[in-house]
């Protein structure tokens, strides 16, 4: 779900080496969420996740997430996964029972059936967004999700009613902003050029769905329609807007040219704010959170399988690195005045010997850096880290490869560091494909969690 771009913007100016501290209001927790910096993990409703691995670790995780996917008009979408469209309801109840806030990445538009199914991802997303019959099904599908998570009873099914997060369409906002900025494909759907979500066309009023008929046929209108459906059926649900690292046309996560990360973050945050994160008409709410993803695969997978270099320098001397990304995130949270959750973080590490750059055991350094710099993340408006593999082959936090405890020969590497070589010398006693790194670090963190205020 991640696209690497090599487009240079006018903001390509070197910035300082240290992350900025953001406005305190941007880092404030939302109602119903933990008052401390939270940790969560991708968890299916089975023994590998919600009903097995998570509770068995005895780590008091704050969040558990599962995708809602497979399209709104395919006959295979989430509404078919359980009777009466109860999959998110049952998941939310199971998560709450174990002390976790349920999080649902709602990834339905791309996988829906439309007239551009063979098109590249951006074109397919924007075409689907402008197909009235498809968006009509989409709004009805989203309304059903809100009904199942909301406090009332619909179709004889009592809703969840508790705190839950719905993360709206990862990547879509990136394609939308690139389209109107003129750095990505518009495919005939732009009414103008500039950092304005109203310049991108979308089927909202034209969908024929009465509940959203009051909103314009624009990308801004699309977001306002979803916010309105939340307001109608599930005011207890927090909605999250996705801001990608490549949304401005410069990929903060992978490009090595010097860039003004704060300026890029402000640009991305401005588009988000205008889309409904910080601005909406009277009677319509706004988004509660922003989400960002740093990668959809381990850096080692990119390196050894896809032959791409997406390592970040843990010493923050060469690009890309963590401090530059933090300046980007800090500018987004300051501009939107919304806290950020970092989602789908690669789970691997360069600590345990089991991480030897083979299938299911590819290395990465983001989990290590994040766990050792939580106050630094808090200072740029981040309130939670959500770990999970985005694609097959990446490291997971349970025994996904079925190979038990493995401790092959260690080795040293300069991947992900501009300093001395990093050696994965630690021996693991866990069958987890990450060697148990997530459970060990999370357990240590929760002995003294970082307060958000």
């Amino acid at each position: 779900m991640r696209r690497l771009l090599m487009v240079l913007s006018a903001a390509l100016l070197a910035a300082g080496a240290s992350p900025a501290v953001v406005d305190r209001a941007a880092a404030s927790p939302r109602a119903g969420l933990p008052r401390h910096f939270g940790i969560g993990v991708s968890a299916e409703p089975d023994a590998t996740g919600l009903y097995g691995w998570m509770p068995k670790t005895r780590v008091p995780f704050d969040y558990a997430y599962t995708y809602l996917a497979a399209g709104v008009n395919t006959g295979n979408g989430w509404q078919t996964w359980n009777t009466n469209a109860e999959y998110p309801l049952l998941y939310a109840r199971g998560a709450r029972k174990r002390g976790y806030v349920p999080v649902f990445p709602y990834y339905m538009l791309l996988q829906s059936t439309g007239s551009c199914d063979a098109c590249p991802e951006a074109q397919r997303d924007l075409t689907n967004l402008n197909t009235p019959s498809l968006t009509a099904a989409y709004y009805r599908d989203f309304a059903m999700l809100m009904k199942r998570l909301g406090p009332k009873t619909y179709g004889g099914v009592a809703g969840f009613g508790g705190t839950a997060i719905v993360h709206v369409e990862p990547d879509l906002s990136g394609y939308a902003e690139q389209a109107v900025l003129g750095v990505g494909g518009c495919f005939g759907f732009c009414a103008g050029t500039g950092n304005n979500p109203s310049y991108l066309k979308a089927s909202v009023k034209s969908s024929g769905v009465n509940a959203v008929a009051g909103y314009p046929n624009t990308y801004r209108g699309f977001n306002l329609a979803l916010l309105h459906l939340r307001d109608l059926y599930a005011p207890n649900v927090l909605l999250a807007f996705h801001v990608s690292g490549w949304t401005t046309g410069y990929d903060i996560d992978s490009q090595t040219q010097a860039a003004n990360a704060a300026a890029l973050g402000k640009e991305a945050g401005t588009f988000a704010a205008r889309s409904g994160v910080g601005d909406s008409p009277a009677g319509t709410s706004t988004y509660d959170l922003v989400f960002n993803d740093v990668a959809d695969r381990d850096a080692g997978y990119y390196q050894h399988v896809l032959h791409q270099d997406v390592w970040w320098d843990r010493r923050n001397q060469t690009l890309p690195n963590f401090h530059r990304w933090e300046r980007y995130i800090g500018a987004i949270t300051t501009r939107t005045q919304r806290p950020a959750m970092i989602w789908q973080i690669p789970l691997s590490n360069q600590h345990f010997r089991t991480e030897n750059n083979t299938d299911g055991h590819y290395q990465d350094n983001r989990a290590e850096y994040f766990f050792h710099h939580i106050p630094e993340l808090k200072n740029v408006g981040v309130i939670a880290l959500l770990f999970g593999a985005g694609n097959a082959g990446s490291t997971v936090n349970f025994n996904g490869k079925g190979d038990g405890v493995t401790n092959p020969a260690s080795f040293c590497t300069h991947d992900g560091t501009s300093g001395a070589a990093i050696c994965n010398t630690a021996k693991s006693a866990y069958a987890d494909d990450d060697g148990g790194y997530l459970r060990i670090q999370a357990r240590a963190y929760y002995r003294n969690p970082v307060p958000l205020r």
Side-chain angles (χ1 to χ4, degrees):
M1 297 195 324
R2 183 167 175 266
R3 186 172 65 169
L4 302 181
L5 296 174
M6 297 302 291
V7 179
L8 303 184
S9 78
L12 289 183
L13 301 172
S18 300
V21 177
V22 305
D23 185 330
R24 276 283 160 263
S28 299
R30 302 291 99 173
L33 297 185
R35 308 300 293 181
H36 57 260
F37 192 100
I39 307 295
V41 64
S42 171
E44 292 305 296
D46 58 26
T48 70
L50 197 61
Y51 301 127
W53 187 89
M54 287 189 76
K56 285 181 179 179
T57 65
R58 300 187 181 277
V59 175
F61 289 106
D62 290 298
Y63 302 96
Y65 77 82
T66 184
Y67 270 90
L68 301 178
V72 299
N73 59 358
T74 62
N76 300 311
W78 65 268
Q79 291 199 47
T80 69
W81 298 352
N82 286 94
T83 57
N84 298 319
E86 292 184 11
Y87 179 83
L89 172 61
L90 298 175
Y91 188 93
R93 288 174 176 170
R96 180 170 61 181
K97 183 177 180 180
R98 289 156 181 80
Y100 319 132
V101 175
V103 181
F104 300 96
Y106 185 78
Y107 190 61
M108 298 294 287
L109 189 66
L110 181 70
Q111 297 176 358
S112 299
T113 297
S115 61
C116 204
D117 289 351
C119 298
E121 188 168 306
Q123 185 175 5
R124 184 175 178 181
D125 249 350
L126 299 189
T127 301
N128 287 353
L129 187 64
N130 281 275
T131 304
S133 60
L134 194 159
T135 57
Y138 187 97
Y139 298 127
R140 294 185 183 108
D141 189 84
F142 193 82
M144 177 57 73
L145 173 60
M146 294 298 104
K147 289 175 181 179
R148 290 295 178 257
L149 293 179
K152 297 182 180 180
T153 298
Y154 293 94
V157 178
F160 174 59
T163 299
I165 298 171
V166 172
H167 169 203
V168 173
E169 295 295 343
D171 291 345
L172 175 62
S173 67
Y175 298 136
E177 184 168 15
Q178 287 191 347
V180 296
L181 287 177
V183 298
C186 205
F187 315 109
F189 299 121
C190 291
T193 302
N195 198 31
N196 190 330
S198 293
Y199 291 165
L200 181 66
K201 299 175 185 177
S203 176
V204 186
K205 182 177 182 179
S206 62
S207 71
V209 175
N210 289 336
V212 301
Y215 297 98
N217 289 319
T218 65
Y219 179 67
R220 171 175 159 82
F222 167 79
N223 286 287
L224 296 178
L226 301 186
L227 291 163
H228 177 64
L229 293 172
R230 185 270 299 272
D231 298 345
L232 281 177
Y233 301 116
N236 54 295
V237 168
L238 303 177
L239 288 190
F241 187 91
H242 191 92
V243 182
S244 299
W246 44 264
T247 186
T248 63
Y250 179 96
D251 190 346
I252 204 76
D253 299 332
S254 68
Q255 288 184 238
T256 58
Q257 299 95 330
N260 188 328
L264 294 171
K266 183 178 180 180
E267 185 176 24
T270 295
F271 185 83
R274 292 170 175 171
S275 296
V277 178
D279 175 37
S280 66
T284 303
S285 64
T286 56
Y287 280 94
D288 305 281
L289 304 159
V290 292
F291 270 45
N292 173 262
D293 59 319
V294 294
D296 62 351
R297 297 171 173 87
D298 301 314
Y301 185 102
Y302 268 104
Q303 180 181 12
H304 294 281
V305 179
L306 301 180
H307 309 295
Q308 298 176 18
D309 184 1
V310 299
W311 284 97
W312 291 2
D313 178 17
R314 65 170 68 210
R315 292 173 57 83
N316 293 305
Q317 298 299 309
T318 60
L319 297 175
N321 63 46
F322 292 88
H323 281 178
R324 183 177 74 165
W325 169 81
E326 287 169 347
R327 291 194 297 274
Y328 179 75
I329 296 299
I332 292 169
T333 58
T334 296
R335 176 63 182 86
T336 61
Q337 287 295 287
R338 297 294 183 274
M341 290 188 173
I342 311 307
W343 164 78
Q344 200 166 262
I345 303 165
L347 285 147
S348 195
N349 59 83
Q350 295 178 293
H351 179 72
F352 284 118
R353 284 164 52 177
T354 188
E355 305 304 83
N356 66 341
N357 287 322
T358 60
D359 186 43
H361 296 279
Y362 291 102
Q363 290 193 344
D364 201 289
N365 63 4
R366 291 170 179 85
E368 288 182 76
Y369 189 93
F370 287 162
F371 269 116
H372 287 92
H373 296 83
I374 286 175
E376 189 174 290
L377 298 175
K378 172 190 167 184
N379 283 341
V380 295
V382 177
I383 64 169
L385 301 174
L386 307 182
F387 293 87
N391 287 275
S394 293
T395 305
V396 297
N397 52 290
F398 51 90
N399 187 20
K401 301 310 295 182
D403 51 6
V405 178
T406 63
N407 285 294
S410 66
F411 61 90
C412 299
T413 178
H414 282 91
D415 294 336
T417 181
S418 59
I422 303 297
C423 304
N424 63 335
T425 56
K427 211 174 169 182
S428 176
Y430 290 103
D432 301 348
D433 288 354
D434 68 342
Y437 190 84
L438 177 64
R439 70 163 78 197
I440 292 168
Q441 292 298 319
R443 185 182 296 128
Y445 166 74
Y446 277 113
R447 294 190 188 111
N448 188 27
V450 174
L452 291 175
R453 294 301 296 263

